[in-house]
Amino acid sequence: MDIRQLRHFLALADTLNFHRAAERLHMAQPPLSASIRRLEAQLGVELFSRNRRGTELTAAGVAAVDDARRAVFHAEQFARTAQAAARGESGVLRVGFVGSATYALMPRVLPRFRARYPGVQLQLGESTTARIVAMVESGDVDVGLVRFPLGRAGRVRVFPAERDVFMAALSVDHPLARRRRVALADLAQEPFVMYGADAVPGLHAAALLACQQAGFVPDVHQEAVQVQTLISLVESGMGVALVPSVAARHTTRAVAFRPLSGPGAQTAIGIAIALPPQGQTSAAQRFLESVLEGVSGTVSEGDLPG
């Protein structure tokens, strides 16, 4: 028995006329009759009685109609689900993200993606770039929103989605906070709050590179993992910090964010989408397209700074 035979059975059950059923199915009458005979032989029961009054459902046929409809519905639903998943329009998409992706990138991308692909269930998990890259490589998540430069060689494929530069984060009573711009070299004697080298190697390396280009090595008094934590430590008077400019959108009255000038000011940082080294799910491909919409140009990890 197959779904085609059940469709034949239902068409005949609805019309009780071989000719009209064949027309509905866009087939000739003899193949329909043969299909019904094979179905009855496979089941070992008669589903229709043929007499001078025409074709009628037997008791067995009447009892089987509802189950046949459900079987056809579920078979068609199975096909729709599988096809939608293959197109990236349904299923589950596991996304790892760094905290700073919530400033601008995720609010821009997620509403658009959910509106276009309501059948895709998003499973979101926050972590560090290093951990997310490892999870993408191992298949524990389908896609990652990570900070670049990565800070270590990885097997993931990386597509920059949000390009950024550092800003200086200063307590509002710091003398340099009165300036509209701060030369990075002017921070040379300041205590720094810095990204942890092990937990956030990419931002750590980028911040050190920026400082070195400005002619100094920062005096690190405290390390942290999340950008928001660095800002909180600046607010607490622990020192100054270099933070992505996008973080300044979520301002606090106790912290001043100032654009940088001079050497090191244009050190490239940003957020990128990380995909497995070989291939990705269709849903991940749809997500990549949503993330990169409006982004001019993408590069591979080998082209990234750092």
Side-chain angles (χ1 to χ4, degrees):
M1 182 191 340
D2 58 34
I3 296 301
R4 183 179 60 179
Q5 288 176 300
L6 292 181
R7 290 195 180 100
H8 294 171
F9 164 70
L10 289 173
L12 186 56
D14 289 341
T15 62
L16 295 177
N17 183 285
F18 275 90
H19 179 70
R20 290 200 299 272
E23 287 183 338
R24 175 185 293 188
L25 294 165
H26 305 290
M27 63 186 299
Q29 184 173 328
L32 174 61
S33 299
S35 176
I36 296 297
R37 286 196 298 271
R38 284 195 300 271
L39 178 60
E40 290 176 324
Q42 290 168 3
L43 296 175
V45 299
E46 286 191 353
L47 299 171
F48 298 94
S49 61
R50 294 90 167 163
N51 51 49
R52 285 176 296 180
R53 295 191 303 273
T55 302
E56 296 178 350
L57 280 165
T58 64
V62 171
V65 167
D66 287 342
D67 282 336
R69 293 193 196 283
R70 282 192 289 269
V72 170
F73 170 81
H74 287 300
E76 293 173 345
Q77 184 64 27
F78 166 79
R80 286 191 292 268
T81 299
Q83 291 163 357
R87 295 191 300 268
E89 298 172 358
S90 70
V92 176
L93 181 66
R94 302 164 299 169
V95 181
F97 66 93
V98 292
S100 50
T102 63
Y103 290 134
L105 183 62
M106 290 174 67
R108 171 174 64 85
V109 171
L110 293 189
R112 178 167 61 217
F113 182 81
R114 294 181 66 187
R116 290 178 179 173
Y117 308 107
V120 177
Q121 177 187 349
L122 290 172
Q123 292 182 353
L124 306 175
E126 183 179 358
S127 189
T128 64
T129 289
R131 177 60 182 149
I132 293 169
V133 168
M135 289 192 293
V136 171
E137 290 175 336
S138 65
D140 291 329
V141 297
D142 301 304
V143 61
L145 297 176
V146 299
R147 272 282 166 196
F148 76 81
L150 293 185
R152 73 170 181 86
R155 295 184 295 112
V156 295
R157 293 172 296 136
V158 179
F159 303 84
E162 183 180 89
R163 299 180 183 275
D164 206 348
V165 293
F166 284 122
M167 294 186 78
L170 314 159
S171 62
V172 290
D173 57 0
H174 194 288
L176 292 176
R178 293 194 291 269
R179 301 182 183 179
R180 294 185 62 181
R181 286 182 172 270
V182 174
L184 183 52
D186 289 342
L187 301 178
Q189 303 305 316
E190 300 292 333
F192 263 77
V193 181
M194 182 60 70
Y195 306 95
D198 293 331
V200 199
L203 276 182
H204 176 86
L208 284 182
L209 174 62
C211 293
Q212 289 168 2
Q213 289 176 339
F216 70 97
V217 175
D219 180 16
V220 179
H221 282 212
Q222 182 65 47
E223 291 188 344
V225 174
Q226 302 293 347
V227 172
Q228 190 57 48
T229 305
L230 264 73
I231 295 172
S232 296
L233 292 172
V234 171
E235 184 176 357
S236 301
M238 295 296 296
V240 302
L242 300 182
V243 300
S245 67
V246 69
R249 299 184 184 187
H250 294 256
T251 58
T252 169
R253 293 182 179 179
V255 176
F257 298 92
R258 295 293 181 264
L260 295 171
S261 62
Q266 297 304 312
T267 299
I269 58 173
I271 295 178
I273 184 168
L275 293 175
Q278 294 185 353
Q280 67 270 335
T281 67
S282 297
Q285 177 63 31
R286 301 288 85 78
F287 190 79
L288 172 65
E289 293 166 359
S290 297
V291 169
L292 296 185
E293 187 171 306
V295 176
S296 59
T298 61
V299 298
S300 67
E301 171 60 10
D303 296 322
L304 293 178

